[in-house]
Amino acid sequence: MRLRVSFGLGLTASLLLVGCGGGNKGAAGSPSTPPPSAAPAITVQPSDQSVSVGQSATFTVSATGAAPLSYQWQGSGSPIAGATASSYTTPATTLSDSGSTFAVVVTDASGSTTSRSATLTVTSGGVPAGTDVLTYKNDLSRSGQNLSETTLTPANVNSSSFGLLRNLAVDGKVNAQPLYASRLNVSGSAHNVVFAATEHDSVYAFDANTGSVLWHATLLAAGETLRRYTRLQPGDS
């Protein structure tokens, strides 16, 4: 089955309001109180994991806030002893672990934030294989064909059951072919992975089933920066 996703460049704008005091310095007034600092913000949520019985699963979170940040992972709502890092790896799984949920409470001096609950699925076999797309237009002939398609048909490809699955935020335009690899081992767990490269020299790996970011790498060397170029028009000097 072919996954259809789109990539968007997320831009955040901030507005700083500055208040100016009056000229009457002798007037009584209440001193301004700085706004309270915000609790930690989770930037990458833990993603659902699917592993074969006997494998371990790793859940990871990324957060921002006032240092130092502390972490406490929970399994099905109960704190897990010793699980106080930004990632948590389960012991070897059994079939009875399937359906368990894992979340993490991130805390700094200003408060706490709880992540989404990620679900663990344990199967007696491996993660089902998909049709890998490892090069531009599927093959060296650039045919764009998926000759092993088993799910999509002319009957079910319609506006009510087929369309955009999700938007995945990246840091620039994606002009290259996104690639797809099924059952790829990432941090000890099998994932179906979508890879995307941007014009900002970044490469992203997304979990194809959940949209979570598995990793993000930059190809810029230390000290390198991006430069913007303007296309010259006829008559420009």
Side-chain angles (χ1 to χ4, degrees), residues 169-234:
V170 294
D171 63 4
K173 290 184 178 180
V174 177
N175 291 328
Q177 162 93 48
L179 304 179
Y180 173 78
S182 61
R183 297 194 299 187
L184 191 65
N185 189 303
V186 179
S187 299
S189 301
H191 295 265
N192 296 323
V193 182
V194 173
F195 295 95
T198 77
E199 287 187 343
H200 286 190
D201 282 346
S202 286
V203 179
Y204 291 80
F206 296 96
D207 186 297
N209 299 92
T210 67
S212 298
V213 179
L214 297 173
W215 52 259
H216 167 216
T218 178
L219 302 182
L220 294 175
E224 285 187 330
T225 59
L226 293 169
R227 298 186 62 182
R228 296 184 180 275
Y229 295 89
T230 301
R231 179 176 296 178
L232 294 178
Q233 302 296 326

Side-chain angles (χ1 to χ4, degrees), residues 105-118:
V105 179
V106 185
T107 304
D108 66 9
S110 301
S112 299
T113 303
T114 302
S115 73
R116 71 178 288 271
S117 292

Side-chain angles (χ1 to χ4, degrees), residues 124-136:
S124 56
V127 175
T131 299
D132 292 347
V133 179
L134 303 178
T135 189
Y136 177 61

Side-chain angles (χ1 to χ4, degrees), residues 76-115:
S76 298
S78 299
I80 302 172
T84 56
S86 59
S87 64
Y88 170 67
T89 300
T90 69
T93 56
T94 65
L95 288 176
S96 63
D97 294 322
S98 191
S100 300
T101 59
F102 295 85
V104 60
V105 179
V106 185
T107 304
D108 66 9
S110 301
S112 299
T113 303
T114 302
S115 73

Side-chain angles (χ1 to χ4, degrees), residues 12-18:
T12 302
S14 300
L15 178 64
L16 177 63
L17 300 179
V18 180

